[in-house]
Amino acid sequence: MLSLPTLTFPPKPLSIIPKSSFSGIQIRQKCPVSVLLPSIKMTRSSVVMMAKKEEELKEIRAKTTEEINEEVVDLKGELLMLRLQKSTRNEFKSSEFRRMRKRIARMLTVKREREIEEGVGKRLSRKLDRQWKRSIVVRPPPSLKKLQEEEAAAEAEKSA
């Protein structure tokens, strides 16, 4: 019978992590109290923001699926108008991009929740979504309609 030599390794030290001279107490003593308070203020404002989002979700859930679809189309049109304003370097609020994208996402989420309740699978949902996107009739967004109406009213006043 062949005997294999056994290898022995030296034991590993328990603490491989190098010791640090960092002491959290020193930093806390050097930091003023006002630096620690903004984190508390942020949590209070985030609570208020969540309440607003919950109200918005309740408002969205109260709508029918058709109303949600119509509003998604309108918001996507508004998003397009914002992109056009940005590309022509007109004055616009950049925060509107995020606000509109989030609102569209919330609406589509509620729409998908309803599909799940009805038992519609993921594959069928995507198929229905593609059909819905193809059936959309392109129309100007509400902000453009409002702008056109204001221009028509201004022209009517000038000619009168």
Side-chain angles (χ1 to χ4, degrees):
M1 212 184 212
L2 268 170
S3 65
L4 296 172
T6 57
L7 295 173
T8 56
F9 295 102
K12 291 184 180 179
L14 293 176
S15 175
I16 298 176
I17 302 170
K19 294 188 177 185
S20 172
S21 62
F22 172 76
S23 174
I25 297 171
Q26 292 176 352
I27 291 176
R28 287 184 188 153
Q29 289 174 350
K30 292 180 182 177
C31 285
V33 176
S34 62
V35 172
L36 300 174
L37 293 178
S39 62
I40 296 170
K41 291 178 184 175
M42 286 176 52
T43 56
R44 288 181 184 160
S45 65
S46 64
V47 169
V48 172
M49 290 297 290
M50 288 301 289
K52 287 182 182 177
K53 289 177 186 174
E54 287 174 8
E55 288 175 15
E56 187 178 3
L57 277 173
K58 286 179 185 175
E59 176 186 317
I60 293 170
R61 286 193 172 106
K63 296 180 180 183
T64 64
T65 307
E66 290 300 316
E67 290 173 344
I68 289 175
N69 288 341
E70 292 297 314
E71 194 162 343
V72 166
V73 171
D74 289 342
L75 284 172
K76 285 191 176 190
E78 294 291 333
L79 208 53
L80 175 69
M81 291 301 296
L82 272 178
R83 282 193 212 108
L84 290 174
Q85 285 180 348
K86 182 180 178 184
S87 66
T88 58
R89 301 187 186 221
N90 287 348
E91 201 171 298
F92 68 97
K93 290 184 179 179
S94 59
S95 62
E96 290 295 306
F97 281 107
R98 184 170 189 254
R99 189 187 63 78
M100 282 187 197
R101 282 197 315 264
K102 296 282 185 177
R103 182 146 174 93
I104 290 169
R106 284 188 197 106
M107 291 188 163
L108 293 176
T109 301
V110 170
K111 183 179 168 186
R112 179 64 184 136
E113 285 173 357
R114 290 180 183 171
E115 288 176 351
I116 290 172
E117 287 173 4
E118 294 171 7
V120 176
K122 192 175 188 179
R123 177 175 268 173
L124 181 60
S125 173
R126 288 184 178 171
K127 183 178 179 181
L128 293 172
D129 192 43
R130 280 193 302 271
Q131 290 174 353
W132 172 71
K133 285 179 182 177
R134 287 185 193 130
S135 70
I136 293 174
V137 177
V138 180
R139 62 177 190 265
S143 64
L144 185 60
K145 289 179 186 176
K146 184 178 176 184
L147 187 65
Q148 289 172 344
E149 290 171 1
E150 289 173 359
E151 288 176 356
E155 287 179 23
E157 289 177 10
K158 287 181 183 178
S159 63

